[in-house]
Amino acid sequence: MPIYEYLSTKPRKSCRHCRNPFEVLQAMSDKDLKTCPECGRPVKRIISWCRSNVMETSEAHRQVESKIKNYEASGMWSHAAELADKHSEKVKDKSLRMRALDNYRKAGYDTDTLSKHADFNND
């Protein structure tokens, strides 16, 4: 069942409930509310803002992430680091760059030298 939003048609003469938008869970077949359930004053249904955050990743990105994870699970830290480093440059992902530095560290590289060359401010 969808959630609909309603608002008073006369905000200055409305109660605290309908002065601001309020939500009502209704079946799609239900008729719109005509009055506020609290004070009985006229209300109208309003268009709600979409509040969603969907982040999709490409199939190529998922494959690279999977390959990095497999390298890490196998203890192939330099392979994981190199792949994560290259892919982080391509997709401008700071967390992936940090993961690459961590994998370089696990592979025995001097990460102080590497982190000096990594530019974290240009992204």
Side-chain angles (χ1 to χ4, degrees):
M1 287 201 326
I3 298 174
Y4 293 102
E5 285 188 56
Y6 290 90
L7 180 65
S8 173
T9 57
K10 299 176 183 177
R12 293 180 191 251
K13 296 182 179 181
S14 59
C15 70
R16 288 180 25 185
H17 181 71
C18 63
R19 184 173 304 131
N20 298 311
F22 64 95
E23 298 176 341
V24 178
L25 183 67
Q26 293 178 288
M28 291 177 69
S29 58
D30 291 349
K31 293 184 179 184
D32 290 353
L33 291 182
K34 299 293 181 196
T35 59
C36 171
E38 299 282 325
C39 68
R41 292 206 164 84
V43 294
K44 63 181 176 182
R45 192 168 86 185
I46 57 175
I47 297 174
S48 301
W49 287 93
C50 180
R51 295 178 185 98
S52 66
N53 185 13
V54 177
M55 294 182 64
E56 294 185 20
T57 57
S58 69
E59 182 62 31
H61 183 71
R62 284 191 293 271
Q63 288 174 348
V64 169
E65 285 282 340
S66 176
K67 201 169 198 177
I68 292 168
K69 189 184 237 182
N70 288 337
Y71 282 146
E72 290 170 340
S74 300
M76 300 172 73
W77 304 113
S78 59
H79 286 69
E82 186 177 342
L83 184 57
D85 196 15
K86 286 181 180 178
H87 194 65
S88 71
E89 288 296 318
K90 183 178 178 182
V91 297
K92 304 293 184 207
D93 185 346
K94 287 183 182 181
S95 65
L96 193 55
R97 186 177 296 165
M98 293 302 295
R99 185 174 176 185
L101 282 173
D102 188 45
N103 285 332
Y104 278 127
R105 184 178 302 113
K106 290 175 182 175
Y109 290 89
D110 181 10
T111 54
D112 290 334
T113 307
L114 290 171
S115 61
K116 289 177 185 174
H117 295 289
D119 184 5
F120 293 102
N121 299 322
N122 283 344
D123 294 347

